[in-house]
Amino acid sequence: MNHTLESLRKELDRINFQLLNLIAQRGSIVKEIGEIKKKQSVNKFDPIRERKMLDQIIEHNKGPFSDDTVRHLFKQIFKASLELQQEEHHKTLLVSRKRRPLDTVVRIGDEEIGGNNDPIVIAGPCSVESEEQVRKVAQVLKQQGLIFLRGGAYKPRTSPYDFQGLGEQGLEILRKVADEFHLKVVSEIVNPANLNSSVEYVDVIQIGARNMQNFELLKAAGSVQIPVLLKRGLSATIEEFLFAAEYIVSRGNNQVILCERGIRTYEKWTRNTLDISAVPILKKESHLPVIVDISHSTGRRDILDAIAKAALAAGADGLMVETHPDPAVALSDANQQINLTTFRELMKEIDRYNRLNTVKS
Ligand code: PEP
Ligand code: MN
């Protein structure tokens, strides 16, 4: 009896090696086919051919394994083979640090974001409402030595009855006022059709949380040569966020800034939950600059000092904050925008923090 078991096991070992050899032989052929397909620019995955192979195999199945089991086993082999054909660079994302160990520095004229540069602050109203409103904010930005003026012209609002933004007129206001004060404009674009014309007005295109997986918009943003500030989706994982950035970078625009702006959780005392861990994780996984939107992530004014410092301590390359000359009458996000006096105080706190921590790791 023991003798029989022993010899059957030997037989199994022999078959295992045969199977391994056969799978390896199959793999080599698959790779050769992959090379031919690459030269002919033919798609690697051919579902019709796969179905034919599976049908043929099932026709020859005499048991003892069921057709389903045989199908499952061969599908695994096919899947592993297809992975062999996939080029290495498809397995490692362009946005990954594995592909590019050095930090990407995003350049906006003479300004730089990321790398060893000091953290920047992007500030301005939630929505552009009038030239006077934007000018009042721009004046303060200038006094504070800030460069990046934000303001929404196309507003993706939860309710269709809420203020939807001034559209192109809003962009015109931003550009005009920014030029008066030598500032750079950051503004959200929601429609791929508006991308090309917006380049005239904005220095950084913002893609908002609600559009993080608007793939047509991402592809369009990848085809223009202007920096993109990509916000994390309301319920996007970090991986999904990076895939969204990959859409832009893989189309040829590597000037992408990632923005953590809080995610939806069950917590009600903040508008969103700031995922502070995302900052060091993104910095570790990707070479792109990372900033934190302290306004939309918290939705409240009373904790901005602490959150700004937390973001900087976590390694953020910058902050975004909403400020309005008179938040009480703001047409959007009235509850979270800070007035210009509070904004100055916040900047003082941030400066103090930065001075205490001049050496950035
Ligand atoms: C914004 O920054 O104006 C905005 C709408 O933010 P989010 O897309 O993060 O909600
Ligand atoms: Mn807002």
Side-chain angles (χ1 to χ4, degrees):
M1 183 65 179
N2 264 350
H3 181 71
T4 320
L5 185 61
E6 192 75 357
S7 71
L8 285 174
R9 279 183 171 163
K10 274 205 178 113
E11 183 76 349
L12 270 191
D13 288 344
R14 198 178 56 78
I15 292 174
N16 281 345
F17 288 131
Q18 276 182 345
L19 277 173
L20 179 66
N21 272 333
L22 284 172
I23 290 173
Q25 272 180 42
R26 192 182 189 284
S28 308
I29 295 173
V30 161
K31 276 181 97 165
E32 267 184 60
I33 294 176
E35 285 304 313
I36 296 170
K37 283 186 168 176
K38 193 171 138 193
K39 280 194 196 111
Q40 297 175 347
S41 303
V42 178
N43 208 341
K44 303 267 164 51
F45 179 53
D46 183 349
I48 298 172
R49 165 82 183 138
E50 188 167 313
R51 148 84 36 212
K52 252 195 208 151
M53 285 195 293
L54 273 180
D55 287 349
Q56 265 176 14
I57 292 163
I58 298 301
E59 252 175 54
H60 286 81
N61 181 27
K62 298 191 187 75
F65 293 114
S66 72
D67 285 356
D68 272 354
T69 306
V70 170
R71 202 174 279 118
H72 174 75
L73 289 172
F74 273 88
K75 276 199 152 198
Q76 291 303 312
I77 293 173
F78 293 171
K79 189 165 165 261
S81 304
L82 189 66
E83 273 166 19
L84 270 182
Q85 287 185 342
Q86 234 105 47
E87 309 202 24
E88 272 310 307
H89 68 255
H90 279 174
K91 292 182 203 156
T92 312
L93 299 184
L94 292 168
V95 299
S96 165
R97 252 205 213 275
K98 288 190 199 112
R99 284 298 287 276
R100 190 191 140 96
L102 292 180
D103 286 338
T104 285
V105 173
V106 170
R107 292 192 169 81
I108 303 120
D110 295 336
E111 303 303 321
E112 294 189 340
I113 303 180
N116 290 325
N117 289 291
D118 288 340
I120 53 98
V121 174
I122 302 172
C126 178
S127 298
V128 175
E129 296 168 7
S130 69
E131 200 172 307
E132 297 66 45
Q133 171 227 25
V134 176
R135 188 170 289 110
K136 279 181 189 159
V137 176
Q139 256 159 359
V140 176
L141 258 58
K142 197 69 199 172
Q143 283 164 8
Q144 298 292 320
L146 299 176
I147 304 290
F148 296 100
L149 170 67
R150 65 145 285 149
Y154 299 99
K155 295 304 299 177
R157 304 303 300 281
T158 303
S159 164
Y161 305 117
D162 285 339
F163 176 60
Q164 301 287 308
L166 296 181
E168 194 165 343
Q169 194 200 340
L171 294 183
E172 277 169 19
I173 293 175
L174 281 170
R175 182 75 273 154
K176 182 172 175 214
V177 176
D179 285 348
E180 274 174 38
F181 293 90
H182 305 288
L183 301 175
K184 305 284 182 199
V185 171
V186 181
S187 197
E188 178 166 358
I189 302 297
V190 294
N191 184 345
N194 293 340
L195 261 182
N196 278 323
S197 57
S198 72
V199 170
E200 218 180 298
Y201 305 110
V202 305
D203 300 295
V204 178
I205 291 166
Q206 180 170 317
I207 295 186
R210 285 153 195 82
N211 274 317
M212 189 207 82
Q213 282 188 322
N214 180 338
F215 298 116
E216 292 311 311
L217 184 60
L218 297 174
K219 286 185 209 165
S223 330
V224 290
Q225 288 308 314
I226 172 168
V228 178
L229 190 158
L230 177 66
K231 289 190 142 195
R232 181 175 178 183
L234 274 69
S235 54
T237 63
I238 296 173
E239 190 179 33
E240 287 163 344
F241 189 18
L242 288 176
F243 271 120
E246 185 76 7
Y247 261 90
I248 303 171
V249 174
S250 63
R251 290 279 163 147
N253 186 355
N254 67 353
Q255 296 285 284
V256 177
I257 304 155
L258 302 171
C259 178
E260 161 60 37
R261 48 79 71 206
I263 48 174
R264 281 261 167 104
T265 69
Y266 49 80
E267 181 51 61
K268 295 186 296 183
W269 287 2
T270 47
R271 181 175 176 186
N272 292 288
T273 297
L274 173 61
D275 182 6
I276 197 74
S277 325
V279 178
I281 293 174
L282 285 167
K283 298 281 305 176
K284 221 175 155 162
E285 294 293 325
S286 171
H287 48 80
L288 297 174
V290 178
I291 69 162
V292 171
D293 177 344
I294 58 175
S295 294
H296 292 89
S297 55
T298 59
R300 50 194 286 177
R301 310 182 169 109
D302 56 338
I303 56 171
L304 291 186
D305 281 10
I307 299 303
K309 289 177 209 165
L312 295 172
D317 297 295
L319 304 171
M320 177 179 270
V321 57
E322 283 188 343
T323 178
H324 189 289
D326 189 1
V329 298
L331 296 177
S332 59
D333 287 350
N335 295 332
Q336 76 189 26
Q337 303 200 60
I338 49 175
N339 65 31
L340 296 171
T341 308
T342 311
F343 177 69
R344 283 193 200 91
E345 283 161 11
L346 172 70
M347 284 307 300
K348 218 186 273 170
E349 268 305 296
I350 293 173
D351 280 346
R352 213 160 60 90
Y353 176 86
N354 282 337
R355 272 200 305 278
L356 286 174
N357 300 276
T358 37
V359 188
K360 214 186 135 196
S361 61

